[in-house]
Amino acid sequence: MFDVQKVRADFPILKQEVNGKPLVYFDNGATSQTPQQVIDTIVDYYSRYNANIHRGVHTLSQLATDAYEIARNKIQHHFNAKHSYEIILTSGTTESINLVANGFASILQKGDEIIVSALEHHSNIVPWQMLCEHTGAVLKVIPMSVEGELLMEAYDGLLSNKTKLVFCNHISNALGTINPIEYIIQKAHEVGAAVLIDGAQACPHLKPDVQALDVDFYVASAHKMCGPTGVGMFYGKEEWLRKLPPYKGGGEMIATVSFEKTTYADLPHKFEAGTPNICGGIAFGAAVDYMNHIGFDAIAKQEQELLEYGTQKLQEIEGVTIYGPSDLTKKASVISFNIEGIHPYDIGTIIDKLGIAVRTGHHCAQPIMDFFKIPGTIRASFAFYNTKEEIDIFVEAVKKAKTMLS
């Protein structure tokens, strides 16, 4: 049985007060909170075996190396990658996307086409625009509906033998829309295109199987999965990882160096130049363990109940508009909304005084806001450690703010 109060006890930050009120943390789409078990892993590393990895023969270096590679194996098994060396540890989703974009700079030619969806975070738009400017490739966009869903017939029409790469998020950070990535991957492969899926918003809620998806690249960040900031995961099929050039040059990613020529290390080190976020990688592995211990079936059930309850309660407030799919089975535990005549920032500022953390603004997804002709939204994003009681507090705070601002 899932005991939310027992789970909440694992998160020290949830016990604190903000502005004299118990913290209600509904900004999980930006970053999740960290359980004591992961915090303890971080403390243990710096207290007991802080050393650089892969280079030293001394005991601490070997302990750190073993712990780091064990974490890589945990991440491999979590995402069901075929090989551990298909998991590259990066600074996060943004660096992972840039790694692929940098690699394709040597592959794409003028007139080639790449496809992005209208639901993307800026980190899955800007690197590809830069790539097009560099190579002369053409960027095309899968349009969206007023329900916040991608139009698959339009996607089919965009695909051709000129298509070299398709990139799309698994779940929209701004609307919570769960995209049909299985279909997107299948159709792209039919024309010989590779696919990158941004899983940053999906991985806190579900457990992707990269082999079952047959995806070429999948990226995620630890800090959205109860882990630390500054570390993430880049999965690539072995054939692609061997084809792409290194993203950064330096130590660790080399086999031999002379002033005449450098040869590169084998996978995964070819893409891991310099001293990595060792502690972050180890803690990422601990966060994966923690979430699997909770269980993704239990996580999905708890979060779906919160989504349904929160949606119902907010819809009872006059003037509320909720953006994204009305079919709640097609979205994750994100409610993005506005109140007629009130700027989202004003609501966010007032309810912060009542101890409630939400995100307001364009959520690094300005094209979505432009589509709806709005400056931004109020986004309440729930995690498995949130409760219906917190939603009640949140809804009452929104009502109070609305009264004050009307």
Side-chain angles (χ1 to χ4, degrees):
M1 293 292 293
F2 180 80
D3 184 343
V4 69
Q5 295 304 326
K6 184 177 179 181
V7 169
R8 286 176 64 82
D10 291 337
F11 293 82
I13 201 168
L14 299 181
K15 300 179 178 70
Q16 73 167 307
E17 292 187 348
V18 172
N19 295 319
K21 303 287 185 180
L23 170 65
V24 174
Y25 186 79
F26 285 171
D27 194 22
N28 296 285
T31 195
S32 62
Q33 294 302 337
T34 310
Q36 189 65 52
Q37 292 89 331
V38 176
I39 295 170
D40 288 345
T41 300
I42 295 169
V43 173
D44 183 55
Y45 168 77
Y46 282 115
S47 302
R48 201 168 57 83
Y49 59 102
N50 177 20
N52 216 323
I53 58 173
H54 297 143
R55 304 168 192 177
V57 297
H58 63 83
T59 299
L60 294 190
S61 177
Q62 291 178 11
L63 288 172
T65 299
D66 289 347
Y68 193 75
E69 293 305 324
I70 287 169
R72 191 194 307 273
N73 290 338
K74 289 177 181 179
I75 297 163
Q76 172 206 349
H77 293 304
H78 178 81
F79 288 95
N80 194 33
K82 188 174 182 180
H83 306 289
S84 63
Y85 54 75
E86 292 178 316
I87 300 296
I88 312 300
L89 292 170
T90 66
S91 68
T93 298
T94 298
E95 185 188 17
S96 298
I97 292 170
N98 276 274
L99 189 159
V100 179
N102 179 79
F104 268 79
S106 63
I107 295 173
L108 293 182
Q109 299 178 356
K110 186 175 182 179
D112 286 342
E113 296 177 354
I114 59 178
I115 297 176
V116 64
S117 95
L119 291 174
E120 298 311 303
H121 188 282
H122 295 165
S123 64
N124 207 22
I125 299 174
V126 178
W128 309 114
Q129 290 175 328
M130 295 167 67
L131 178 64
C132 287
E133 290 171 1
H134 179 74
T135 62
V138 178
L139 181 68
K140 297 197 168 185
V141 182
I142 309 169
M144 61 183 278
S145 71
V146 293
E147 284 279 288
E149 298 178 50
L150 296 178
L151 300 175
M152 288 296 95
E153 287 187 10
Y155 170 59
D156 292 345
L158 293 175
L159 290 166
S160 73
N161 59 7
K162 293 183 179 180
T163 309
K164 304 304 177 185
L165 181 64
V166 176
F167 34 99
C168 176
N169 56 38
H170 196 158
I171 293 178
S172 164
N173 74 302
L175 303 179
T177 307
I178 302 173
N179 289 316
I181 62 168
E182 293 88 350
Y183 182 87
I184 288 169
I185 294 165
Q186 175 195 335
K187 298 299 287 188
H189 285 171
E190 286 177 6
V191 298
V195 182
L196 180 145
I197 297 296
D198 172 359
Q201 292 294 327
C203 294
H205 309 296
L206 50 84
K207 191 172 181 176
D209 182 330
V210 295
Q211 289 193 75
L213 289 169
D214 193 29
V215 68
D216 301 286
F217 309 106
Y218 196 98
V219 299
S221 293
H223 73 94
K224 298 184 191 293
M225 299 176 64
C226 297
T229 57
V231 65
M233 181 278 304
F234 163 57
Y235 160 79
K237 284 182 178 176
E238 179 179 2
E239 61 192 271
W240 276 110
L241 294 181
R242 297 202 180 281
K243 187 182 301 184
L244 295 181
Y247 174 46
K248 295 183 290 189
E252 188 69 20
M253 51 76 67
I254 56 87
T256 62
V257 174
S258 71
F259 287 110
E260 289 70 39
K261 178 157 179 76
T262 292
T263 59
Y264 303 128
D266 203 359
L267 300 173
H269 307 298
K270 170 183 171 184
F271 295 104
E272 294 183 352
T275 298
N277 183 353
I278 301 167
C279 179
I282 295 167
F284 190 3
V288 165
D289 283 344
Y290 179 82
M291 295 196 75
N292 280 303
H293 176 73
I294 298 296
F296 279 84
D297 288 342
I299 288 171
K301 183 174 184 296
Q302 171 73 358
E303 292 178 348
Q304 187 66 23
E305 289 178 4
L306 294 172
L307 175 62
E308 293 172 1
Y309 186 75
T311 301
Q312 174 197 332
K313 289 294 183 180
L314 282 171
Q315 285 175 334
E316 294 171 1
I317 301 175
E318 186 177 352
V320 163
T321 298
I322 296 176
Y323 303 92
S326 56
D327 181 351
L328 300 186
T329 64
K330 293 183 178 181
K331 67 184 293 189
S333 53
V334 171
I335 307 177
S336 202
F337 69 99
N338 278 328
I339 299 176
E340 185 179 0
I342 301 176
H343 197 284
Y345 178 84
D346 296 335
I347 295 285
T349 300
I350 290 174
I351 67 175
D352 172 63
K353 302 301 182 186
L354 301 173
I356 299 164
V358 295
R359 181 63 48 133
T360 62
H362 54 65
H363 317 299
C364 293
Q366 285 183 320
I368 294 176
M369 304 305 145
D370 292 343
F371 176 85
F372 288 114
K373 297 181 172 59
I374 55 177
T377 67
I378 306 152
R379 185 186 69 185
S381 48
F382 311 128
F384 58 90
Y385 45 69
N386 290 128
T387 66
K388 291 179 180 178
E389 290 76 18
E390 289 182 308
I391 291 175
D392 289 337
I393 295 169
F394 164 64
V395 171
E396 288 305 311
V398 170
K399 289 178 180 177
K400 183 174 181 179
K402 177 176 181 279
T403 300
M404 293 173 62
L405 296 166
S406 297

